[in-house]
Amino acid sequence: MSDFGFPILFALGLWWFSTGVVLYVDNLPGRTFRWTMLGGVAVLATAIFGFVVSSATTSVSMNYIAFTCGVVVWGVLEMSYFTGYAIGPRKIACPENCSQWQRFRLAIMTSLYHELAIMITGLLLVIISWDAPNQVGAWTFIVLWLMRWSAKLNLFFGVPNLNEDWLPEPLRYLKTYMIQRGMNLLFPISVTTATVIVVLIILKATALQVTDAEVVGYTLVATLLALAILEHWFLVLPIPDEALWRWALPAK
């Protein structure tokens, strides 16, 4: 069990801290966003360099570095969205009485540039790590990407908790593209599929033939996916999840 304890705590701590940092800087006054993104670009370049270096070697330390770089790259991209630098051509609320298809099409336009940036970055990371011995960084980014899309689709189809208080004031119009309702049919599919994948990764990590480095890599990715599942449950259960990042959110 000790082989899994530290990777779990590391993934949990990095998830909590990086989410808080993104929430904090995205809720600062708009005049700070330019400096935030300048710093973000420098951090992004450093993370990609670390991704390149770590993907070439399979070891316990390099797996931690690859995982961290994957999370940091993702965090900078999320920061670019919530600061309004990489969103989409549509920056207004959804018109009333839209059909579901129209609302979906307009919702895509609110984040089109950001989605393209994620696709390009993800493709770059996959190319960098293609046939490389260390795939942990690529797995990390892909897990975050797929689970974010799952969360966005669930918000689109309707969940009880929209977490609109997390949106910076200039992006509050995004709430109009979401629906507040008890449940949607996608949610159980999303959670069940992700849970099955977590179990499969854990079984892989506990196999007898895996190395210490592989145990760390599998555990980090499985923990991140489990946390993404937890975030999905935050959308439907009456749990005050914002208490986890009270220090990062502006005072009401």
Side-chain angles (χ1 to χ4, degrees), residues 54-133:
S54 60
S55 65
T57 306
T58 299
S59 67
V60 170
S61 60
M62 286 300 171
N63 281 356
Y64 281 112
I65 292 174
F67 178 79
T68 302
C69 290
V71 171
V72 170
V73 170
W74 179 262
V76 174
L77 289 173
E78 287 294 273
M79 189 171 62
S80 71
Y81 179 71
F82 288 107
T83 55
Y85 275 86
I87 45 177
R90 184 174 182 83
K91 303 176 183 179
I92 58 176
C94 182
E96 296 182 2
N97 303 320
C98 270
S99 67
Q100 183 164 283
W101 168 247
Q102 289 175 319
R103 186 165 58 89
F104 182 76
R105 180 175 57 83
L106 295 176
I108 290 178
M109 298 305 291
T110 64
S111 59
L112 180 62
Y113 303 148
H114 185 243
E115 299 300 337
L116 291 174
I118 291 176
M119 291 175 62
I120 293 171
T121 304
L123 180 61
L124 173 64
L125 297 183
V126 170
I127 292 173
I128 290 173
S129 60
W130 194 264
D131 286 335

Side-chain angles (χ1 to χ4, degrees), residues 145-158:
W145 185 5
L146 293 179
M147 293 304 286
R148 177 182 178 274
W149 254 109
S150 174
K152 289 183 71 172
L153 287 172
N154 276 285
L155 287 166
F156 174 82
F157 289 119

